[in-house]
């Protein structure tokens, strides 16, 4: 049976907690055909129950102990050798999560996360920047696609990032990649993080996942190839961009984002909240500048966000100044400033999704080295998180969504 660790104390009553095991069994039974052998189905249940339990560290040893196994061999074999398709399970979990969270305000969000690792053997590990540590570390970095709405948020897809240290054509490099089970097509050239995000978004589009906007930070927003792909498919987006990003104007000229900000009259800015934070409404001053439309007659806008008080040191003078952020928006004609602000404010949901995936579903506590095992472990964690999110969505009363303020 599931323990009380599945949800925070006080979120559900005793009857609802007792019913969770039946719901989890129904979810696992719905994906039984993904697994060729009954032993794999049993191992899936054991692993998911362990991930949702109050086990202090959700590595394979402790998950095995929670399941009553003498050692982690069964779970290691389940991740490394058993016959099942992690991508098929991913697709089933995505459909389950979307059905639980679909709403008129649903969005897709791409972002990355990192796990600090030792050694050089683990697939994808190299010295690279990771936001988890806030610096360059020996780490494994992965890109994820999150689905979020007023009903909740969860991860629905994943791709492991392989940097330059894992791309090459020498015999030594091929042996190293083969040792970790990395597919040849991923071992010769670097697939960038925006490219990995595009692949996951393409899968979501093919699955007809309903959403309003695609959201991402500067690492993805500054990728012109990704933006062109989104515009070609008429995908609405709100993407953070750097201040020196060159943008097209309706008259054919181009200007950097910071140059356009300098031209915006002060009276144009409106003070609005984009979302509720831990300390209340997240208020900023906002303005938008209309840009050249796309060939598909969608509109482009530069959305400018400015802090309400000085909160950032100027690199040249050292004085405190108000922080400025820029978002490139691609959307339907006639969009309001209020709608763009609301969309921009929804990107914080991916941070909450990562926090839940790591804190409650063991996403960052794997101890696997091979490519296949990483994808399988991550997919099972996403299943556990989707179940947790769906339970909360159904059982916990949600606050009514406030009406979008009109300009």
């Amino acid at each position: 049976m599931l323990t009380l660790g599945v949800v925070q104390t006080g979120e559900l009553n005793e009857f609802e907690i007792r019913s969770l095991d039946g719901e989890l069994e129904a979810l696992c039974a719905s994906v039984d055909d993904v697994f060729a052998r009954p032993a794999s189905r049993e191992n899936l249940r054991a692993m998911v129950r362990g991930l949702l339990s109050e086990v202090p560290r959700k590595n394979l040893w402790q998950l095995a102990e929670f399941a009553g196994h003498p050692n982690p061999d069964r779970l290691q074999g389940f991740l490394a050798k058993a016959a099942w398709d992690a991508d098929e399970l991913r697709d089933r979990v995505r459909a389950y999560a979307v059905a639980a969270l679909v709403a008129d305000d649903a969005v897709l969000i791409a972002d990355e996360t990192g796990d600090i690792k030792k050694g050089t053997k683990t697939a994808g590990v190299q010295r690279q920047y990771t936001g988890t540590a806030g610096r360059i570390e020996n780490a494994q970095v992965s890109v994820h696609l999150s689905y979020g709405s007023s009903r909740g948020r969860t991860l629905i897809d994943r791709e492991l990032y392989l940097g330059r240290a894992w791309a090459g054509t020498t015999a030594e490099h091929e042996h190293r990649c083969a040792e970790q089970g990395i597919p040849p097509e991923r071992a010769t050239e670097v697939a960038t993080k925006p490219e990995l995000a595009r692949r996951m978004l393409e899968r979501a589009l093919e699955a007809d996942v309903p959403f309003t906007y695609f959201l991402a930070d500067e690492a993805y927003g500054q990728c012109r190839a990704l933006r062109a792909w989104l515009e070609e498919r008429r995908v609405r987006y709100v993407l953070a961009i750097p201040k020196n990003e060159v943008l097209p104007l309706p008259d054919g000229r181009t200007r950097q984002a910071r140059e356009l900000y300098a031209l915006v009259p002060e009276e144009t800015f409106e003070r609005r909240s984009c979302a509720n934070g831990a300390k209340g409404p997240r208020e900023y001053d906002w303005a938008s500048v209309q840009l050249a439309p796309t060939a598909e007659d969608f509109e482009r806008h530069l959305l400018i966000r400015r802090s309400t008080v000085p909160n950032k040191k100027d690199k040249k003078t050292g004085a405190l100044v108000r922080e400025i952020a820029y978002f490139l928006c691609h959307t339907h004609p006639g969009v309001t400033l209020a709608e763009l602000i609301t969309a921009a404010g929804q990107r914080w949901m991916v941070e909450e999704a990562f926090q839940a995936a790591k804190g409650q579903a063991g996403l960052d506590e794997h101890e696997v080295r091979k490519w296949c095992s990483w994808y399988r472990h991550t997919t099972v964690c996403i299943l556990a998180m989707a179940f947790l999110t769906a339970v909360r969505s159904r059982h916990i009363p949600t606050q009514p969504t406030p009406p979008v303020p009109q300009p």
Side-chain angles (χ1 to χ4, degrees):
M1 295 290 290
L2 292 177
T3 68
L4 298 184
V6 173
V7 290
Q8 295 176 9
T9 303
E11 284 188 347
L12 305 178
N13 62 42
E14 185 178 352
F15 174 79
E16 290 167 336
I17 290 173
R18 284 202 302 267
S19 74
L20 293 180
D21 197 69
E23 292 190 25
L24 180 59
E25 172 57 32
L27 173 58
C28 292
S30 73
V31 298
D32 272 348
D33 58 316
V34 174
F35 305 92
R37 299 180 64 232
S40 293
R41 299 166 195 163
E42 293 174 6
N43 287 328
L44 172 71
R45 287 160 171 78
M47 188 169 174
V48 172
R49 285 190 171 96
L51 291 171
L52 291 173
S53 73
E54 293 180 319
V55 171
R57 288 199 60 215
K58 296 174 182 178
N59 55 37
L60 291 183
W61 263 106
Q62 293 204 17
L63 295 181
E65 289 178 359
F66 180 82
H69 301 173
N71 54 55
D73 291 356
R74 284 176 58 180
L75 295 183
Q76 287 173 341
F78 171 68
L79 296 179
K81 300 176 181 178
W84 61 280
D85 187 343
D87 288 347
E88 175 63 24
L89 182 61
R90 172 206 62 204
D91 293 347
R92 301 286 192 89
V93 174
R94 180 184 59 216
Y96 169 80
V98 169
L101 302 181
V102 64
D104 292 341
D105 60 349
V107 293
L108 287 170
I109 315 166
D111 203 358
E112 64 199 64
T113 188
D115 301 319
I116 297 174
K117 296 290 181 182
K118 295 180 180 179
T120 60
K121 295 291 186 181
T122 303
V125 72
Q126 61 185 329
R127 286 194 59 78
Q128 56 189 321
Y129 177 83
T130 169
T132 304
R135 58 183 181 273
I136 294 176
E137 286 281 358
N138 199 57
Q140 189 182 51
V141 171
S142 53
V143 181
H144 294 257
L145 190 66
S146 178
Y147 189 70
S149 73
S150 53
R151 299 181 64 184
R153 64 279 305 157
T154 190
L155 305 177
I156 60 170
D157 207 340
R158 71 288 179 263
E159 287 287 356
L160 183 59
Y161 173 67
L162 299 179
R164 297 190 180 279
W166 290 89
T169 56
T170 65
E172 181 182 357
H173 173 78
E174 290 178 0
H175 174 74
R176 182 190 182 208
C177 290
E179 195 174 41
Q180 303 309 322
I182 296 173
E185 63 271 17
R186 291 292 303 274
T188 53
E189 295 183 5
V190 176
T192 65
K193 294 168 187 174
E195 169 60 19
L196 296 178
R198 185 199 66 77
R199 294 179 188 183
M200 292 187 288
L201 184 57
E202 187 169 31
R203 291 195 285 262
L205 292 175
E206 290 175 352
D208 293 324
V209 172
F211 66 100
T212 56
Y213 285 92
F214 171 66
L215 313 174
D217 65 18
E218 281 187 19
Y220 306 87
Q222 65 185 346
C223 178
R224 296 183 181 181
L226 175 60
R227 298 197 318 243
W229 182 87
L230 293 166
E231 291 170 6
E232 182 182 341
R233 284 154 183 78
R234 299 172 66 87
V235 173
R236 292 185 290 176
Y237 64 69
V238 176
L239 303 175
I241 56 172
K243 62 184 179 181
N244 60 352
E245 186 71 25
V246 177
L247 304 171
L249 297 175
D251 61 7
R253 295 178 300 155
T254 59
R255 288 283 180 90
Q256 290 185 359
R258 59 185 167 188
E259 293 175 329
L260 292 175
Y261 164 65
L263 297 174
V264 175
E266 183 60 32
E267 61 270 18
T268 302
F269 281 91
E270 297 183 24
R271 184 158 298 182
R272 294 179 180 269
S273 171
C274 61
N276 288 327
K279 299 180 180 179
R282 298 176 177 177
E283 287 192 335
Y284 296 93
D285 293 334
W286 301 85
S288 69
V289 178
Q290 186 144 4
L291 304 173
T294 66
E296 297 291 341
D297 294 327
F298 268 45
E299 291 182 355
R300 291 195 194 102
H301 296 263
L302 171 65
L303 180 65
I304 302 170
R305 186 189 74 193
R306 185 177 67 190
S307 297
T308 58
V309 295
N311 61 344
K312 183 180 179 180
K313 275 192 176 183
D314 184 277
K315 291 183 179 179
K316 293 182 179 179
T317 65
L320 281 178
V321 296
R322 294 204 273 181
E323 185 178 20
I324 312 295
Y326 303 92
F327 304 86
L328 180 58
C329 308
H330 175 249
T331 186
H332 55 279
V335 66
T336 64
L337 176 64
E339 180 178 332
L340 295 179
I341 293 170
T342 299
Q346 287 178 298
R347 201 186 72 80
W348 64 269
M349 290 194 292
V350 72
E351 303 298 338
E352 191 174 78
F354 279 136
Q355 183 179 7
K358 293 184 176 185
Q360 300 172 18
L363 183 69
D364 60 341
E365 297 194 64
H366 65 84
E367 294 179 343
V368 297
R369 288 186 172 182
K370 294 185 181 294
W371 174 272
C372 172
S373 297
W374 182 89
Y375 273 90
R376 289 181 169 188
H377 179 277
T378 302
T379 305
V380 174
C381 289
I382 290 175
L383 184 152
M385 183 186 176
F387 171 76
L388 183 63
T389 304
V391 166
R392 287 175 171 163
S393 175
R394 290 195 302 272
H395 290 276
I396 302 171
T398 56
Q399 296 297 322
T401 304
V404 175
Q406 297 301 312

